[in-house]
PDB file of all heavy atoms in Angstrom:
ATOM      1  N   GLN A  85      48.003 101.873  39.944  1.00 54.00           N
ATOM      2  CA  GLN A  85      47.886 102.466  41.275  1.00 54.00           C
ATOM      3  C   GLN A  85      47.074 101.575  42.201  1.00 54.00           C
ATOM      4  O   GLN A  85      47.343 101.487  43.390  1.00 54.00           O
ATOM      5  CB  GLN A  85      47.256 103.852  41.188  1.00 54.00           C
ATOM      6  CG  GLN A  85      48.183 104.877  40.589  1.00 54.00           C
ATOM      7  CD  GLN A  85      47.503 106.220  40.358  1.00 54.00           C
ATOM      8  OE1 GLN A  85      46.298 106.297  40.199  1.00 54.00           O
ATOM      9  NE2 GLN A  85      48.296 107.268  40.328  1.00 54.00           N
ATOM     10  N   GLU A  86      46.053 100.901  41.669  1.00 55.00           N
ATOM     11  CA  GLU A  86      45.238 100.016  42.494  1.00 55.00           C
ATOM     12  C   GLU A  86      46.023  98.795  42.956  1.00 55.00           C
ATOM     13  O   GLU A  86      45.813  98.289  44.048  1.00 55.00           O
ATOM     14  CB  GLU A  86      43.985  99.588  41.728  1.00 55.00           C
ATOM     15  CG  GLU A  86      42.982 100.697  41.575  1.00 55.00           C
ATOM     16  CD  GLU A  86      41.812 100.328  40.692  1.00 55.00           C
ATOM     17  OE1 GLU A  86      41.764  99.195  40.199  1.00 55.00           O
ATOM     18  OE2 GLU A  86      40.945 101.183  40.506  1.00 55.00           O
ATOM     19  N   LYS A  88      49.386  98.678  43.423  1.00 63.00           N
ATOM     20  CA  LYS A  88      50.366  99.130  44.414  1.00 63.00           C
ATOM     21  C   LYS A  88      49.623  99.621  45.655  1.00 63.00           C
ATOM     22  O   LYS A  88      48.774 100.494  45.573  1.00 63.00           O
ATOM     23  CB  LYS A  88      51.212 100.259  43.828  1.00 63.00           C
ATOM     24  CG  LYS A  88      52.308 100.717  44.745  1.00 63.00           C
ATOM     25  CD  LYS A  88      53.094 101.837  44.111  1.00 63.00           C
ATOM     26  CE  LYS A  88      54.113 102.343  45.110  1.00 63.00           C
ATOM     27  NZ  LYS A  88      54.732 103.578  44.660  1.00 63.00           N
ATOM     28  N   THR A  89      49.926  99.055  46.794  1.00 71.00           N
ATOM     29  CA  THR A  89      49.271  99.459  48.029  1.00 71.00           C
ATOM     30  C   THR A  89      49.728 100.847  48.438  1.00 71.00           C
ATOM     31  O   THR A  89      50.918 101.140  48.447  1.00 71.00           O
ATOM     32  CB  THR A  89      49.581  98.453  49.164  1.00 71.00           C
ATOM     33  OG1 THR A  89      49.169  97.164  48.744  1.00 71.00           O
ATOM     34  CG2 THR A  89      48.871  98.824  50.446  1.00 71.00           C
ATOM     35  N   ALA A  90      48.780 101.669  48.779  1.00 81.00           N
ATOM     36  CA  ALA A  90      49.087 103.030  49.208  1.00 81.00           C
ATOM     37  C   ALA A  90      49.847 103.013  50.530  1.00 81.00           C
ATOM     38  O   ALA A  90      49.678 102.110  51.340  1.00 81.00           O
ATOM     39  CB  ALA A  90      47.796 103.816  49.364  1.00 81.00           C
ATOM     40  N   LYS A  91      50.677 104.019  50.743  1.00 91.00           N
ATOM     41  CA  LYS A  91      51.425 104.126  51.996  1.00 91.00           C
ATOM     42  C   LYS A  91      50.496 104.543  53.139  1.00 91.00           C
ATOM     43  O   LYS A  91      50.627 104.059  54.261  1.00 91.00           O
ATOM     44  CB  LYS A  91      52.557 105.137  51.843  1.00 91.00           C
ATOM     45  CG  LYS A  91      53.419 105.229  53.082  1.00 91.00           C
ATOM     46  CD  LYS A  91      54.662 106.052  52.858  1.00 91.00           C
ATOM     47  CE  LYS A  91      55.449 106.076  54.151  1.00 91.00           C
ATOM     48  NZ  LYS A  91      56.771 106.610  54.005  1.00 91.00           N
ATOM     49  N   PHE A  92      49.552 105.424  52.839  1.00 94.00           N
ATOM     50  CA  PHE A  92      48.575 105.873  53.828  1.00 94.00           C
ATOM     51  C   PHE A  92      47.175 105.654  53.274  1.00 94.00           C
ATOM     52  O   PHE A  92      46.962 105.772  52.071  1.00 94.00           O
ATOM     53  CB  PHE A  92      48.762 107.365  54.142  1.00 94.00           C
ATOM     54  CG  PHE A  92      50.051 107.675  54.845  1.00 94.00           C
ATOM     55  CD1 PHE A  92      51.161 108.059  54.134  1.00 94.00           C
ATOM     56  CD2 PHE A  92      50.138 107.569  56.224  1.00 94.00           C
ATOM     57  CE1 PHE A  92      52.365 108.336  54.773  1.00 94.00           C
ATOM     58  CE2 PHE A  92      51.327 107.840  56.879  1.00 94.00           C
ATOM     59  CZ  PHE A  92      52.443 108.226  56.154  1.00 94.00           C
ATOM     60  N   MET A  93      46.248 105.330  54.153  1.00 95.00           N
ATOM     61  CA  MET A  93      44.853 105.156  53.757  1.00 95.00           C
ATOM     62  C   MET A  93      43.950 105.815  54.785  1.00 95.00           C
ATOM     63  O   MET A  93      44.285 105.863  55.966  1.00 95.00           O
ATOM     64  CB  MET A  93      44.472 103.678  53.685  1.00 95.00           C
ATOM     65  CG  MET A  93      45.047 102.915  52.548  1.00 95.00           C
ATOM     66  SD  MET A  93      44.407 101.226  52.521  1.00 95.00           S
ATOM     67  CE  MET A  93      45.386 100.527  51.223  1.00 95.00           C
ATOM     68  N   ARG A  94      42.805 106.275  54.297  1.00 96.00           N
ATOM     69  CA  ARG A  94      41.772 106.756  55.204  1.00 96.00           C
ATOM     70  C   ARG A  94      41.072 105.535  55.799  1.00 96.00           C
ATOM     71  O   ARG A  94      41.236 104.415  55.327  1.00 96.00           O
ATOM     72  CB  ARG A  94      40.814 107.670  54.457  1.00 96.00           C
ATOM     73  CG  ARG A  94      41.551 108.956  54.019  1.00 96.00           C
ATOM     74  CD  ARG A  94      40.670 109.925  53.338  1.00 96.00           C
ATOM     75  NE  ARG A  94      39.736 110.502  54.307  1.00 96.00           N
ATOM     76  CZ  ARG A  94      38.870 111.454  54.012  1.00 96.00           C
ATOM     77  NH1 ARG A  94      38.807 111.935  52.790  1.00 96.00           N
ATOM     78  NH2 ARG A  94      38.056 111.929  54.928  1.00 96.00           N
ATOM     79  N   ALA A  95      40.303 105.751  56.853  1.00 97.00           N
ATOM     80  CA  ALA A  95      39.727 104.652  57.620  1.00 97.00           C
ATOM     81  C   ALA A  95      38.873 103.703  56.779  1.00 97.00           C
ATOM     82  O   ALA A  95      38.997 102.476  56.898  1.00 97.00           O
ATOM     83  CB  ALA A  95      38.914 105.207  58.788  1.00 97.00           C
ATOM     84  N   LYS A  96      38.012 104.237  55.938  1.00 96.00           N
ATOM     85  CA  LYS A  96      37.125 103.386  55.138  1.00 96.00           C
ATOM     86  C   LYS A  96      37.912 102.477  54.208  1.00 96.00           C
ATOM     87  O   LYS A  96      37.646 101.277  54.120  1.00 96.00           O
ATOM     88  CB  LYS A  96      36.146 104.255  54.341  1.00 96.00           C
ATOM     89  CG  LYS A  96      35.156 103.448  53.547  1.00 96.00           C
ATOM     90  CD  LYS A  96      34.157 104.344  52.834  1.00 96.00           C
ATOM     91  CE  LYS A  96      33.178 103.526  52.022  1.00 96.00           C
ATOM     92  NZ  LYS A  96      32.243 104.371  51.289  1.00 96.00           N
ATOM     93  N   LYS A  97      38.894 103.035  53.518  1.00 95.00           N
ATOM     94  CA  LYS A  97      39.715 102.251  52.590  1.00 95.00           C
ATOM     95  C   LYS A  97      40.547 101.218  53.350  1.00 95.00           C
ATOM     96  O   LYS A  97      40.701 100.079  52.897  1.00 95.00           O
ATOM     97  CB  LYS A  97      40.615 103.197  51.787  1.00 95.00           C
ATOM     98  CG  LYS A  97      41.292 102.547  50.638  1.00 95.00           C
ATOM     99  CD  LYS A  97      40.313 102.333  49.519  1.00 95.00           C
ATOM    100  CE  LYS A  97      41.028 101.882  48.264  1.00 95.00           C
ATOM    101  NZ  LYS A  97      40.094 101.458  47.231  1.00 95.00           N
ATOM    102  N   LEU A  98      41.059 101.595  54.509  1.00 94.00           N
ATOM    103  CA  LEU A  98      41.841 100.672  55.327  1.00 94.00           C
ATOM    104  C   LEU A  98      40.980  99.503  55.794  1.00 94.00           C
ATOM    105  O   LEU A  98      41.420  98.352  55.766  1.00 94.00           O
ATOM    106  CB  LEU A  98      42.447 101.402  56.529  1.00 94.00           C
ATOM    107  CG  LEU A  98      43.316 100.542  57.439  1.00 94.00           C
ATOM    108  CD1 LEU A  98      44.540 100.008  56.695  1.00 94.00           C
ATOM    109  CD2 LEU A  98      43.741 101.333  58.663  1.00 94.00           C
ATOM    110  N   ALA A  99      39.757  99.785  56.203  1.00 94.00           N
ATOM    111  CA  ALA A  99      38.838  98.724  56.631  1.00 94.00           C
ATOM    112  C   ALA A  99      38.605  97.735  55.493  1.00 94.00           C
ATOM    113  O   ALA A  99      38.671  96.510  55.704  1.00 94.00           O
ATOM    114  CB  ALA A  99      37.522  99.332  57.107  1.00 94.00           C
ATOM    115  N   GLU A 100      38.372  98.242  54.295  1.00 93.00           N
ATOM    116  CA  GLU A 100      38.191  97.380  53.123  1.00 93.00           C
ATOM    117  C   GLU A 100      39.456  96.570  52.854  1.00 93.00           C
ATOM    118  O   GLU A 100      39.391  95.369  52.581  1.00 93.00           O
ATOM    119  CB  GLU A 100      37.845  98.219  51.897  1.00 93.00           C
ATOM    120  CG  GLU A 100      36.488  98.880  51.962  1.00 93.00           C
ATOM    121  CD  GLU A 100      36.258  99.894  50.845  1.00 93.00           C
ATOM    122  OE1 GLU A 100      37.120 100.036  49.949  1.00 93.00           O
ATOM    123  OE2 GLU A 100      35.212 100.568  50.881  1.00 93.00           O
ATOM    124  N   HIS A 101      40.592  97.218  52.943  1.00 91.00           N
ATOM    125  CA  HIS A 101      41.891  96.576  52.678  1.00 91.00           C
ATOM    126  C   HIS A 101      42.148  95.423  53.656  1.00 91.00           C
ATOM    127  O   HIS A 101      42.648  94.374  53.270  1.00 91.00           O
ATOM    128  CB  HIS A 101      42.993  97.633  52.780  1.00 91.00           C
ATOM    129  CG  HIS A 101      44.377  97.117  52.562  1.00 91.00           C
ATOM    130  ND1 HIS A 101      44.827  96.696  51.329  1.00 91.00           N
ATOM    131  CD2 HIS A 101      45.428  96.960  53.420  1.00 91.00           C
ATOM    132  CE1 HIS A 101      46.091  96.293  51.443  1.00 91.00           C
ATOM    133  NE2 HIS A 101      46.470  96.449  52.695  1.00 91.00           N
ATOM    134  N   LEU A 102      41.779  95.617  54.915  1.00 90.00           N
ATOM    135  CA  LEU A 102      42.023  94.605  55.945  1.00 90.00           C
ATOM    136  C   LEU A 102      40.878  93.608  56.089  1.00 90.00           C
ATOM    137  O   LEU A 102      41.024  92.597  56.771  1.00 90.00           O
ATOM    138  CB  LEU A 102      42.267  95.278  57.298  1.00 90.00           C
ATOM    139  CG  LEU A 102      43.499  96.172  57.411  1.00 90.00           C
ATOM    140  CD1 LEU A 102      43.548  96.827  58.770  1.00 90.00           C
ATOM    141  CD2 LEU A 102      44.781  95.380  57.142  1.00 90.00           C
ATOM    142  N   ILE A 109      38.135  99.777  62.833  1.00 94.00           N
ATOM    143  CA  ILE A 109      39.306 100.652  62.659  1.00 94.00           C
ATOM    144  C   ILE A 109      39.288 101.751  63.716  1.00 94.00           C
ATOM    145  O   ILE A 109      40.293 102.007  64.379  1.00 94.00           O
ATOM    146  CB  ILE A 109      39.330 101.262  61.237  1.00 94.00           C
ATOM    147  CG1 ILE A 109      39.457 100.172  60.163  1.00 94.00           C
ATOM    148  CG2 ILE A 109      40.446 102.311  61.112  1.00 94.00           C
ATOM    149  CD1 ILE A 109      40.735  99.351  60.230  1.00 94.00           C
ATOM    150  N   TRP A 110      38.143 102.402  63.880  1.00 96.00           N
ATOM    151  CA  TRP A 110      38.060 103.497  64.855  1.00 96.00           C
ATOM    152  C   TRP A 110      38.185 102.988  66.290  1.00 96.00           C
ATOM    153  O   TRP A 110      38.785 103.653  67.134  1.00 96.00           O
ATOM    154  CB  TRP A 110      36.784 104.309  64.653  1.00 96.00           C
ATOM    155  CG  TRP A 110      36.833 105.084  63.374  1.00 96.00           C
ATOM    156  CD1 TRP A 110      36.045 104.927  62.279  1.00 96.00           C
ATOM    157  CD2 TRP A 110      37.770 106.120  63.036  1.00 96.00           C
ATOM    158  NE1 TRP A 110      36.432 105.801  61.285  1.00 96.00           N
ATOM    159  CE2 TRP A 110      37.474 106.544  61.724  1.00 96.00           C
ATOM    160  CE3 TRP A 110      38.826 106.730  63.708  1.00 96.00           C
ATOM    161  CZ2 TRP A 110      38.187 107.555  61.071  1.00 96.00           C
ATOM    162  CZ3 TRP A 110      39.543 107.739  63.060  1.00 96.00           C
ATOM    163  CH2 TRP A 110      39.226 108.139  61.768  1.00 96.00           C
ATOM    164  N   THR A 119      47.738 103.568  65.230  1.00 94.00           N
ATOM    165  CA  THR A 119      47.861 105.020  65.334  1.00 94.00           C
ATOM    166  C   THR A 119      47.433 105.679  64.031  1.00 94.00           C
ATOM    167  O   THR A 119      47.543 105.094  62.958  1.00 94.00           O
ATOM    168  CB  THR A 119      49.301 105.438  65.674  1.00 94.00           C
ATOM    169  OG1 THR A 119      50.177 104.885  64.699  1.00 94.00           O
ATOM    170  CG2 THR A 119      49.710 104.956  67.043  1.00 94.00           C
ATOM    171  N   SER A 120      46.945 106.887  64.166  1.00 96.00           N
ATOM    172  CA  SER A 120      46.504 107.648  62.997  1.00 96.00           C
ATOM    173  C   SER A 120      47.280 108.947  62.924  1.00 96.00           C
ATOM    174  O   SER A 120      47.919 109.361  63.890  1.00 96.00           O
ATOM    175  CB  SER A 120      45.008 107.937  63.106  1.00 96.00           C
ATOM    176  OG  SER A 120      44.737 108.703  64.266  1.00 96.00           O
ATOM    177  N   LYS A 121      47.202 109.566  61.763  1.00 96.00           N
ATOM    178  CA  LYS A 121      47.809 110.886  61.552  1.00 96.00           C
ATOM    179  C   LYS A 121      46.714 111.795  61.025  1.00 96.00           C
ATOM    180  O   LYS A 121      46.064 111.486  60.035  1.00 96.00           O
ATOM    181  CB  LYS A 121      48.948 110.799  60.529  1.00 96.00           C
ATOM    182  CG  LYS A 121      50.090 109.905  60.963  1.00 96.00           C
ATOM    183  CD  LYS A 121      51.162 109.860  59.875  1.00 96.00           C
ATOM    184  CE  LYS A 121      52.220 108.825  60.112  1.00 96.00           C
ATOM    185  NZ  LYS A 121      52.859 108.819  61.370  1.00 96.00           N
ATOM    186  N   ILE A 123      45.789 114.828  59.073  1.00 94.00           N
ATOM    187  CA  ILE A 123      46.470 115.683  58.100  1.00 94.00           C
ATOM    188  C   ILE A 123      45.716 116.975  57.821  1.00 94.00           C
ATOM    189  O   ILE A 123      46.257 117.883  57.202  1.00 94.00           O
ATOM    190  CB  ILE A 123      46.789 114.932  56.790  1.00 94.00           C
ATOM    191  CG1 ILE A 123      45.528 114.402  56.124  1.00 94.00           C
ATOM    192  CG2 ILE A 123      47.786 113.807  57.059  1.00 94.00           C
ATOM    193  CD1 ILE A 123      45.779 113.801  54.750  1.00 94.00           C
ATOM    194  N   VAL A 127      40.445 115.241  57.924  1.00 96.00           N
ATOM    195  CA  VAL A 127      41.037 114.066  57.274  1.00 96.00           C
ATOM    196  C   VAL A 127      42.061 113.403  58.192  1.00 96.00           C
ATOM    197  O   VAL A 127      43.029 114.022  58.610  1.00 96.00           O
ATOM    198  CB  VAL A 127      41.704 114.441  55.925  1.00 96.00           C
ATOM    199  CG1 VAL A 127      42.353 113.223  55.288  1.00 96.00           C
ATOM    200  CG2 VAL A 127      40.685 115.062  54.981  1.00 96.00           C
ATOM    201  N   THR A 128      41.809 112.125  58.468  1.00 97.00           N
ATOM    202  CA  THR A 128      42.710 111.307  59.270  1.00 97.00           C
ATOM    203  C   THR A 128      43.153 110.129  58.414  1.00 97.00           C
ATOM    204  O   THR A 128      42.335 109.522  57.720  1.00 97.00           O
ATOM    205  CB  THR A 128      41.979 110.787  60.528  1.00 97.00           C
ATOM    206  OG1 THR A 128      41.521 111.910  61.289  1.00 97.00           O
ATOM    207  CG2 THR A 128      42.895 109.934  61.396  1.00 97.00           C
ATOM    208  N   VAL A 129      44.447 109.821  58.447  1.00 97.00           N
ATOM    209  CA  VAL A 129      44.974 108.696  57.677  1.00 97.00           C
ATOM    210  C   VAL A 129      45.739 107.749  58.596  1.00 97.00           C
ATOM    211  O   VAL A 129      46.125 108.106  59.711  1.00 97.00           O
ATOM    212  CB  VAL A 129      45.896 109.170  56.516  1.00 97.00           C
ATOM    213  CG1 VAL A 129      45.109 109.981  55.494  1.00 97.00           C
ATOM    214  CG2 VAL A 129      47.086 109.950  57.032  1.00 97.00           C
ATOM    215  N   PHE A 130      45.934 106.552  58.085  1.00 96.00           N
ATOM    216  CA  PHE A 130      46.642 105.509  58.816  1.00 96.00           C
ATOM    217  C   PHE A 130      47.772 104.994  57.944  1.00 96.00           C
ATOM    218  O   PHE A 130      47.614 104.866  56.732  1.00 96.00           O
ATOM    219  CB  PHE A 130      45.681 104.356  59.136  1.00 96.00           C
ATOM    220  CG  PHE A 130      44.533 104.761  60.013  1.00 96.00           C
ATOM    221  CD1 PHE A 130      43.385 105.324  59.477  1.00 96.00           C
ATOM    222  CD2 PHE A 130      44.596 104.578  61.386  1.00 96.00           C
ATOM    223  CE1 PHE A 130      42.321 105.697  60.278  1.00 96.00           C
ATOM    224  CE2 PHE A 130      43.543 104.957  62.198  1.00 96.00           C
ATOM    225  CZ  PHE A 130      42.405 105.515  61.645  1.00 96.00           C
ATOM    226  N   GLU A 131      48.918 104.696  58.562  1.00 94.00           N
ATOM    227  CA  GLU A 131      50.060 104.158  57.819  1.00 94.00           C
ATOM    228  C   GLU A 131      49.843 102.663  57.609  1.00 94.00           C
ATOM    229  O   GLU A 131      49.801 101.883  58.562  1.00 94.00           O
ATOM    230  CB  GLU A 131      51.363 104.412  58.575  1.00 94.00           C
ATOM    231  CG  GLU A 131      52.577 104.068  57.760  1.00 94.00           C
ATOM    232  CD  GLU A 131      53.879 104.477  58.428  1.00 94.00           C
ATOM    233  OE1 GLU A 131      53.850 105.080  59.511  1.00 94.00           O
ATOM    234  OE2 GLU A 131      54.920 104.171  57.840  1.00 94.00           O
ATOM    235  N   VAL A 132      49.678 102.275  56.372  1.00 93.00           N
ATOM    236  CA  VAL A 132      49.282 100.912  56.024  1.00 93.00           C
ATOM    237  C   VAL A 132      50.310  99.874  56.481  1.00 93.00           C
ATOM    238  O   VAL A 132      49.940  98.864  57.087  1.00 93.00           O
ATOM    239  CB  VAL A 132      49.019 100.796  54.503  1.00 93.00           C
ATOM    240  CG1 VAL A 132      48.679  99.366  54.121  1.00 93.00           C
ATOM    241  CG2 VAL A 132      47.901 101.744  54.092  1.00 93.00           C
ATOM    242  N   ALA A 133      51.576 100.094  56.221  1.00 89.00           N
ATOM    243  CA  ALA A 133      52.608  99.101  56.559  1.00 89.00           C
ATOM    244  C   ALA A 133      52.630  98.807  58.060  1.00 89.00           C
ATOM    245  O   ALA A 133      52.722  97.649  58.474  1.00 89.00           O
ATOM    246  CB  ALA A 133      53.976  99.579  56.094  1.00 89.00           C
ATOM    247  N   ILE A 135      50.166  99.086  60.177  1.00 91.00           N
ATOM    248  CA  ILE A 135      48.947  98.392  60.589  1.00 91.00           C
ATOM    249  C   ILE A 135      48.906  96.976  60.041  1.00 91.00           C
ATOM    250  O   ILE A 135      48.438  96.067  60.720  1.00 91.00           O
ATOM    251  CB  ILE A 135      47.716  99.220  60.189  1.00 91.00           C
ATOM    252  CG1 ILE A 135      47.736 100.503  61.040  1.00 91.00           C
ATOM    253  CG2 ILE A 135      46.432  98.444  60.391  1.00 91.00           C
ATOM    254  CD1 ILE A 135      46.813 101.572  60.602  1.00 91.00           C
ATOM    255  N   GLU A 136      49.426  96.758  58.845  1.00 88.00           N
ATOM    256  CA  GLU A 136      49.477  95.402  58.295  1.00 88.00           C
ATOM    257  C   GLU A 136      50.289  94.479  59.187  1.00 88.00           C
ATOM    258  O   GLU A 136      49.956  93.310  59.347  1.00 88.00           O
ATOM    259  CB  GLU A 136      50.059  95.414  56.880  1.00 88.00           C
ATOM    260  CG  GLU A 136      49.087  95.882  55.844  1.00 88.00           C
ATOM    261  CD  GLU A 136      49.657  95.918  54.440  1.00 88.00           C
ATOM    262  OE1 GLU A 136      50.893  96.029  54.280  1.00 88.00           O
ATOM    263  OE2 GLU A 136      48.864  95.849  53.508  1.00 88.00           O
TER     264      GLU A 136
END
Side-chain angles (χ1 to χ4, degrees):
Q85 288 174 335
E86 288 174 1
K88 184 180 175 191
T89 303
K91 183 171 180 169
F92 293 94
M93 288 185 186
R94 294 183 70 176
K96 183 177 179 182
K97 191 75 171 171
L98 181 63
E100 292 170 5
H101 179 70
L102 296 176
I109 297 298
W110 291 115
T119 56
S120 61
K121 298 179 190 308
I123 59 173
V127 178
T128 301
V129 296
F130 298 85
E131 189 173 357
V132 177
I135 293 167
E136 283 179 336

